[in-house]
Amino acid sequence: MTLPLAVDWPTVASLATAGGTLVLAVATFSSVRSGQRSTRIAERSTAIAERALLVGLRPVLAPSRVTDPPELVRFGEGRMVSVEGGLAAVEREGESYYFVIPLRNVGNGLAVLQAWRFMARRPELNASHAEPTEHRRQSRDLYVPAGDTGFWQGAIRDPDDPFREGLDTAFLAGGVLTVDLLYGDHEGGQLTISRFILTCEEDGRWRPGVVRHWPLEGTDPRVRDDAR
């Protein structure tokens, strides 16, 4: 006759408790992972929505079209400069130079021009922009509405102006001039530097072209994710 085995109830209870704890731990881990995944998805969705909103309000400046109306620009000392759409003005009076670039805002947000930087030469291939602090502040804000036209104006008057280096030679020879414009939205955000090249045509008229846009806030579209 086989005697029944004695049941070790304390051991059974310990095993049951351990099993229950394990199941609870697995459930908790799965819940935490699911919660973390949901949080990441929500954060990414929020970031995408915020970026889409900013892109929808970002100003982007380019030269005006030849069909756009001419701009008549007044400088501080009273000098008036007129320039047709699709062209630029580079004028000299005595030792002073005056520059005007008619602009079109091809973005969706108001552009406020803040500062500029000038070089009397063509920039080196793939040369980046200078720091914003190295740009010269506009004496007044210049506004270009979204989908509309406006202008940039600048002047070099001081014989010792560092922007004057090589300017006399470039002007007389009809060389290439470079203008970097620093601008943003009406709240001072979405800062961007756009590089414009001014080329003197055979007829003596200056024609502008934009060759680069650098967004200073956010991701540069020319840098791939796998290269960052």
Side-chain angles (χ1 to χ4, degrees), residues 13-14 20 28 33 46 58 70 72 76 84-85 87 104 137 148 151 158 169 193 195 202-203 208:
S14 297
T28 301
R33 289 198 63 183
T46 300
R58 183 181 297 281
L72 181 61
E84 300 176 14
L87 296 176
R104 174 170 282 275
R137 184 68 57 180
D148 206 344
F151 62 87
D158 190 342
T169 301
I193 293 177
R195 173 162 290 171
E202 292 183 357
D203 58 6

Side-chain angles (χ1 to χ4, degrees), residues 21-40:
T21 301
L22 178 61
V23 171
L24 180 60
V26 171
T28 301
F29 178 73
S30 299
S31 176
V32 169
R33 289 198 63 183
S34 177
Q36 291 176 340
R37 188 180 304 111
S38 298
T39 299
R40 288 196 298 269

Side-chain angles (χ1 to χ4, degrees), residues 8 35 70 78 96 129 131-132 139 147 156 167 171 178 191 217 227-228:
D8 188 350
S96 299
H129 60 84
E131 292 298 320
S139 58
I156 296 177
L167 178 54
F171 178 77
T178 302
L191 291 178
E217 301 174 6
R228 288 196 292 269

Side-chain angles (χ1 to χ4, degrees), residues 185-200:
D185 59 29
H186 66 288
E187 294 184 338
Q190 303 201 83
L191 291 178
T192 301
I193 293 177
S194 293
R195 173 162 290 171
F196 291 79
I197 300 295
L198 309 185
T199 305
C200 188

Side-chain angles (χ1 to χ4, degrees), residues 59-102:
V60 181
L61 296 180
S64 65
R65 304 166 182 163
V66 295
T67 54
D68 287 330
E71 297 285 351
L72 181 61
V73 180
R74 181 185 180 91
F75 285 82
E77 58 269 66
R79 181 180 177 84
M80 304 294 293
V81 175
S82 179
V83 58
E84 300 176 14
L87 296 176
V90 181
E91 298 185 1
R92 178 178 181 179
E93 182 177 327
E95 295 300 317
S96 299
Y97 286 90
Y98 302 90
F99 311 95
V100 176
I101 303 177

Side-chain angles (χ1 to χ4, degrees), residues 137-165:
R137 184 68 57 180
Q138 297 284 158
S139 58
R140 64 186 179 98
D141 289 341
L142 300 173
Y143 301 88
V144 186
D148 206 344
T149 59
F151 62 87
W152 165 78
Q153 66 179 121
I156 296 177
R157 304 178 178 89
D158 190 342
D160 297 325
D161 192 321
F163 287 175
R164 197 183 187 93
E165 181 181 356

Side-chain angles (χ1 to χ4, degrees), residues 2-25:
T2 303
L3 296 176
L5 296 175
V7 178
D8 188 350
W9 292 109
T11 301
V12 172
S14 297
L15 292 175
T17 300
T21 301
L22 178 61
V23 171
L24 180 60

